[in-house]
Amino acid sequence: MGSDVEVNSPRADREAGQALPEYVGVTGLVLLVVAIVLAAATPVAADVSEQLICAVSPIVKEDGADDCGDASGGGGSPGEGYSPPSGDCEEDVAFEYVDRDGSPERTSVVQIDCVWYPNSVGCFFEHMPEDYVYNNTGDTVYLEEEIQDFVDCALGTRGGPQDDPNDESCANTTPTSEQIDEDAPPKVQVGCRVWPVPKGCEAEWAAYKDAPAGKERAARSGELATCITKRYDTMEFFCVTQATGHVESTEIQFLFFRWGDSNGTLIEKLGDGRIRIHILTGVELGAGVSGDQVGGSPISFDVAGITGYGTDKTYEFTDMQKAQDWIDWYKEYDSVNNKPISCSGARVQWTGGCGKNPHLERAEELRGEEPEHHELAEADSDIKKVKLKGGVHLTGEFGPIEVGGSAEGSYVGEVQIEDRRWSDGSRTATYSSSDIGGFMIGASLGARKPFSKDEKGKPTSSAGGAGSGDLLGKEWKGTTSTTIAWDTKGELSKVVISMDDQVMETLDKAGIDLDVALPYGFTVGGGYSTSKEKGTISKRELILDFNQYPELREKLGPTIDKMFPRDADGNLIKGDVEVGGDGAGNGVLYDAVEDYANVRKLTYDATRATESGTGGLTWQGLDLFKVTFTSVDETQTLKESSFEVTDVNGDKQTMSPAPKCKDKDFVEPPAYYSDDFSDPSTSRGSQQHDIGAEYVDNETPKFTEGTYPGTDYDGDVPGDRADRVGSLLDEYSEDFPDKNILVVKDFDNFSFSNLFGFVHLATVDGMDVIALNSGTVKNKGDGGWINWGFTGSYDYDADRKTIKFKQR
């Protein structure tokens, strides 16, 4: 059910990534706006807007620019044998347009020092030749010395590769327009890095490679660069370059602190400079936990992720000082929130109480003093069983090994199931375990071999488990995690299967052939090998990106949906997980993984120190996977990274460092930070809103004076509650015509998420009036009109009592 007003929201994604280089058409839109302004102010309006639109048309095609003119008019072109001004391409700068095959659009290119480049939109806009827009002579060739500022700008950002991705000298480098070695692997420079041309850019690569050297290839190079940039932007998850529980230094002043027996903080730094702070609450399930620290207390973390926690509220910062300011505020807030005061029994007897509680008063003050922050995500986790039905058979150097053992029997392990909700509306679900069960899940999704039979019906699998004197079952070490990501539209985005080197070492010690047992991305060729350096830990990630290969969603979606089921609201249904054994038809991802998956390897230097006063804890060699927040502090710093991709020829190419591990500095989008109270959990109290929902305050309305505060309404307040809701909607929608209006009886009965422009306007006779630009509101109570009402632009699901408001 939708409203009468249907307007798409222009709100930008709050988790937007890096801005793409200059040749991406977003900049073109800026030029278009400027063109319109100039057009309104000059007598040559048509020429101005047309030429500027054509100048940026490498990426963007705007309405009204169907014809960008031919080579001799409307801005013109010097042609092949131009003579003015000097006739020497080493002294002149020439601007031209190149036709696109089968398209009315044209691409703007420029020749400098006899080399053709895609026209640098930013440089052209900033250093436009003075007579370019107003020139009606058709002459678009200039002496280089006359437009030296443009030349310096254009060439000064097109240098060779650099280690620093933020280096301005190579920020706008695009693939060369000169001769190329067509027999060499498909690899080109975009920005400051040399990239393998990935699958998904076949058309752009073919057009670039087949174009003649010179202006035609220059025109195609911008399109190829755009494709490469977009593909790599979606291929990886963020890369953690440092994780810490306790650091004291002049650069990073975070102090690890524990609040409660199983609660703590994890601080991460990403490859693009962002800092993330996880506020973790623990979960304790008592005995019966088979995996190291999985599902039990205390919380622990390793290279494969965080385990043993109950809830996680994650904050993000682009500035170290802002992160420090927030953590300092949080430490004080945690120390006073819900803290009781103590007083003598005599005082209670004589006064009837202890008087005002200064701790509670200070907590209330601090709620209004929270420093700027960005609420990034919330997650909750649970521990469930993972069952292997039918058994798995394998052969190692010690002879036959079985997991399961009988048709009616099943292997049972445990896995931590995490459901994470990101503030942009996307979701991820992760199964993690340091037990064999986690490995089974990854193997069943990632490979054909572990859970299948050969053409003769004989088992060929190698999934690990119990056997040979319980060699695997009793000595299993290492963590496996499998993550499924859905985008803001609810569509499958990625599959990521992660294993640390201890998993491979466990299998290797049992004599298992790793090239058979492990899915593509984890095979090592010739047996297990690793640096085994003291104080070094590592993991590998197999990443399948559905944004790169959307055709795989339909093919693989049903299998993923079965293993990661979600309800109508998108929440993960946290039940036990069943994995079929031999002959169960698992491993449907194998072919896709073999052909399309990317692989990332991360190696960290790890240090740990025993927390003073805990008693009896000492250095235990390299056993860094049992580090816990309640007893040990640890820092992990990225040492090496690599990223293997499948190129347009179907070959594997490896680049180092991995793109997300040494990325351009993150640029915060508008309205990134907020100083509204975020309601974090503390040692004496949990947050007062649902996981995944946003905290909203109904105690401090913006307007308080008048019959309907904030409006000119001077009539009576209807006594009937349903009539009152209708009256409030009418009056407030009239006085706030650009806002959606929501009236509710009790905030506690509603869940608010993905809010933009939320304002609590007023409270009228027990009814709260809310204005908002966009967001999702779910009624958890009675859906009758006496309890709520809404008007504006929205979609309403009556069965789920959920409204999705859109920008009016």
Side-chain angles (χ1 to χ4, degrees):
M1 174 180 176
S3 67
D4 293 335
V5 185
E6 295 294 341
V7 180
N8 290 328
S9 171
R11 172 190 173 195
D13 187 343
R14 285 191 286 180
E15 303 307 326
Q18 298 299 308
L20 300 182
E22 271 189 42
Y23 41 82
V24 174
V26 174
T27 309
L29 295 176
V30 177
L31 279 183
L32 177 63
V33 174
V34 175
I36 293 171
V37 173
L38 288 174
T42 65
V44 288
D47 290 340
V48 172
S49 60
E50 180 178 308
Q51 292 184 54
L52 275 177
I53 292 171
C54 291
V56 300
S57 68
I59 308 298
V60 175
K61 176 64 177 172
E62 297 295 339
D63 293 338
D66 293 333
D67 184 5
C68 284
D70 57 32
S72 61
S77 170
E80 293 298 331
Y82 70 90
S83 56
S86 72
D88 186 345
C89 65
E90 292 185 353
E91 298 182 16
D92 296 342
V93 176
F95 296 90
E96 277 208 40
Y97 300 119
V98 176
D99 291 332
R100 295 189 188 184
D101 293 338
S103 171
E105 300 178 8
R106 290 177 154 191
T107 299
S108 176
V109 294
V110 61
Q111 186 184 49
I112 306 173
D113 296 337
C114 300
V115 177
W116 288 96
Y117 305 94
N119 194 4
S120 174
V121 175
C123 292
F124 185 82
F125 176 65
E126 187 175 357
H127 303 289
M128 186 187 304
E130 291 183 2
D131 63 343
Y132 186 89
V133 173
Y134 310 99
N135 186 355
N136 292 313
T137 66
D139 183 4
T140 55
V141 182
Y142 299 84
L143 281 174
E144 183 172 324
E145 61 186 28
E146 293 178 351
I147 56 170
Q148 195 63 49
D149 288 343
F150 169 81
V151 172
D152 291 344
C153 177
L155 297 187
T157 58
R158 296 185 186 273
Q162 300 292 334
D163 290 336
D164 182 3
N166 298 294
D167 194 318
E168 290 298 324
S169 71
C170 47
N172 293 320
T173 300
T174 51
T176 181
S177 65
E178 303 294 280
Q179 296 291 336
I180 61 174
D181 183 356
E182 297 190 8
D183 295 326
K187 187 179 291 187
V188 296
Q189 183 181 347
V190 178
C192 294
R193 296 199 67 169
V194 176
W195 309 81
V197 182
K199 268 199 171 184
C201 291
E202 287 84 351
E204 290 80 1
W205 170 249
Y208 168 79
K209 187 175 66 171
D210 295 343
K215 61 184 179 183
E216 285 81 7
R217 182 163 286 164
R220 304 289 84 81
S221 75
E223 298 159 15
L224 176 61
T226 297
C227 182
I228 291 172
T229 304
K230 289 182 176 179
R231 292 303 182 198
Y232 277 97
D233 192 51
T234 66
M235 281 183 187
E236 290 182 85
F237 268 155
F238 55 85
C239 177
V240 176
T241 60
Q242 185 178 56
T244 177
H246 186 172
V247 174
E248 295 181 69
S249 71
T250 56
E251 292 80 20
I252 304 176
Q253 301 172 23
F254 294 124
L255 296 179
F256 167 79
F257 58 98
R258 189 180 77 192
W259 38 285
D261 292 335
S262 59
N263 304 334
T265 60
L266 172 63
I267 302 159
E268 298 173 318
K269 186 174 181 180
L270 307 188
D272 58 10
R274 284 179 285 177
I275 300 116
R276 290 182 177 173
I277 300 176
H278 298 262
I279 302 298
L280 302 163
T281 64
V283 57
E284 299 182 29
L285 298 182
V289 178
S290 58
D292 290 342
Q293 306 302 338
V294 176
S297 172
I299 295 167
S300 65
F301 72 99
D302 58 43
V303 295
I306 315 166
T307 56
Y309 77 90
T311 64
D312 173 9
K313 189 176 180 74
T314 308
Y315 296 81
E316 185 174 87
F317 303 87
T318 60
D319 178 82
M320 184 65 74
Q321 188 57 54
K322 284 185 180 292
Q324 185 65 56
D325 292 343
W326 187 88
I327 206 79
D328 290 341
W329 168 88
Y330 176 74
K331 288 165 66 177
E332 183 180 0
Y333 179 66
D334 173 65
S335 69
V336 297
N337 187 47
N338 290 329
K339 182 178 180 180
I341 59 172
S342 59
C343 59
S344 66
R347 180 176 179 182
V348 173
Q349 181 178 356
W350 289 101
T351 65
C354 294
K356 289 186 177 180
N357 185 337
H359 304 306
L360 300 185
E361 292 181 357
R362 179 55 182 153
E364 184 62 36
E365 292 175 356
L366 287 169
R367 292 186 188 104
E369 299 174 3
E370 184 174 2
E372 285 189 323
H373 54 274
H374 178 71
E375 293 183 65
L376 180 69
E378 289 188 343
D380 58 343
S381 70
D382 204 350
I383 304 301
K384 295 296 181 181
K385 289 181 171 57
V386 55
K387 302 176 180 179
L388 176 65
K389 300 182 65 176
V392 170
H393 305 74
L394 59 137
T395 301
E397 65 181 76
F398 305 107
I401 300 173
E402 293 187 2
V403 178
S406 65
E408 61 274 2
S410 296
Y411 171 82
V412 178
E414 289 186 337
V415 64
Q416 174 174 287
I417 300 178
E418 175 194 273
D419 187 15
R420 184 169 295 270
R421 306 153 182 88
W422 301 85
S423 59
D424 65 348
S426 59
R427 309 289 287 263
T428 55
T430 302
Y431 292 169
S432 300
S433 180
S434 54
D435 186 60
I436 305 169
F439 174 80
M440 291 182 194
I441 291 173
S444 67
L445 280 178
R448 177 195 301 151
K449 297 176 183 177
F451 298 151
S452 66
K453 298 179 180 180
D454 62 18
E455 64 276 4
K456 296 181 180 180
K458 294 182 179 180
T460 61
S461 55
S462 300
S468 292
D470 282 342
L471 183 66
L472 286 176
K474 290 185 177 179
E475 297 187 7
W476 184 276
K477 291 183 179 179
T479 303
T480 308
S481 66
T482 301
T483 297
I484 307 296
W486 295 270
D487 62 20
T488 57
K489 297 178 182 179
E491 294 186 333
L492 280 172
S493 175
K494 290 183 184 65
V495 173
V496 181
I497 301 172
S498 171
M499 295 184 200
D500 59 48
D501 273 353
Q502 282 196 335
V503 171
M504 289 184 279
E505 185 174 16
T506 299
L507 295 171
D508 184 60
K509 285 183 176 180
I512 306 304
D513 184 352
L514 300 188
D515 289 331
V516 173
L518 299 181
Y520 164 74
F522 299 97
T523 55
V524 291
Y528 172 76
S529 62
T530 185
S531 63
K532 292 183 180 288
E533 292 182 42
K534 184 176 182 181
T536 299
I537 54 180
S538 62
K539 71 169 177 176
R540 301 186 194 197
E541 297 171 326
L542 182 153
I543 305 172
L544 188 61
D545 177 21
F546 293 110
N547 295 307
Q548 188 179 12
Y549 308 108
E551 67 275 12
L552 295 178
R553 286 193 178 101
E554 182 176 351
K555 177 180 180 181
L556 306 177
T559 299
I560 293 172
D561 290 341
K562 184 177 180 180
M563 189 166 287
F564 291 81
R566 299 190 297 162
D567 63 21
D569 294 321
N571 299 310
L572 185 68
I573 300 173
K574 300 187 185 73
D576 292 339
V577 183
E578 289 192 356
V579 179
D582 292 329
N586 292 307
V588 295
L589 288 184
Y590 179 84
D591 291 333
V593 164
E594 191 73 22
D595 294 337
Y596 301 112
N598 306 306
V599 178
R600 186 167 71 175
K601 184 175 181 180
L602 306 173
T603 301
Y604 293 85
D605 284 330
T607 59
R608 82 176 196 177
T610 301
E611 188 177 349
S612 61
T614 56
L617 287 172
T618 58
W619 179 268
Q620 297 293 326
L622 193 57
D623 189 13
L624 297 178
F625 296 90
K626 297 181 181 178
V627 173
T628 63
F629 274 140
T630 58
S631 60
V632 180
D633 306 328
E634 177 172 343
T635 300
Q636 298 171 2
T637 304
L638 187 68
K639 178 183 180 181
E640 298 174 350
S641 66
S642 64
F643 191 59
E644 180 186 273
V645 301
T646 303
D647 66 26
V648 289
N649 292 339
D651 299 322
K652 308 295 184 184
Q653 291 197 49
T654 301
M655 54 195 307
S656 181
K660 296 287 188 185
C661 296
K662 197 169 185 180
D663 205 357
K664 285 186 177 181
D665 289 342
F666 179 80
V667 178
E668 62 188 62
Y672 173 79
Y673 284 117
S674 170
D675 57 4
D676 293 337
F677 180 58
S678 64
D679 188 33
S681 295
T682 60
S683 55
R684 299 178 185 85
S686 300
Q687 61 185 22
Q688 298 301 306
H689 65 274
D690 297 337
I691 291 288
E694 295 183 39
Y695 175 78
V696 290
D697 175 17
N698 70 334
E699 297 179 358
T700 54
K702 182 175 182 179
F703 304 107
T704 57
E705 301 296 329
T707 307
Y708 285 0
T711 75
D712 295 329
Y713 180 75
D714 58 2
D716 296 329
V717 178
D720 180 80
R721 201 159 67 190
D723 292 341
R724 189 185 319 149
V725 169
S727 174
L728 291 169
L729 291 173
D730 291 341
E731 297 300 327
Y732 279 94
S733 61
E734 182 177 345
D735 281 49
F736 297 90
D738 296 331
K739 291 278 193 177
N740 299 298
I741 302 298
L742 172 70
V743 176
V744 300
K745 178 178 180 292
D746 188 348
F747 271 37
D748 291 340
N749 285 331
F750 293 85
S751 175
F752 303 87
S753 59
N754 304 321
L755 298 177
F756 182 66
F758 181 98
V759 180
H760 180 200
L761 294 175
T763 300
V764 179
D765 285 9
M767 304 301 294
D768 290 302
V769 184
I770 296 164
L772 70 163
N773 290 1
S774 60
T776 300
V777 181
K778 180 177 178 60
N779 187 339
K780 301 183 293 181
D782 189 342
W785 285 100
I786 64 171
N787 294 318
W788 72 328
F790 43 88
T791 186
S793 178
Y794 57 83
D795 291 321
Y796 177 50
D797 186 330
D799 293 333
R800 296 167 53 209
K801 293 181 291 186
T802 299
I803 322 164
K804 290 187 176 180
F805 287 105
K806 301 176 289 185
Q807 180 77 40
R808 295 194 68 173

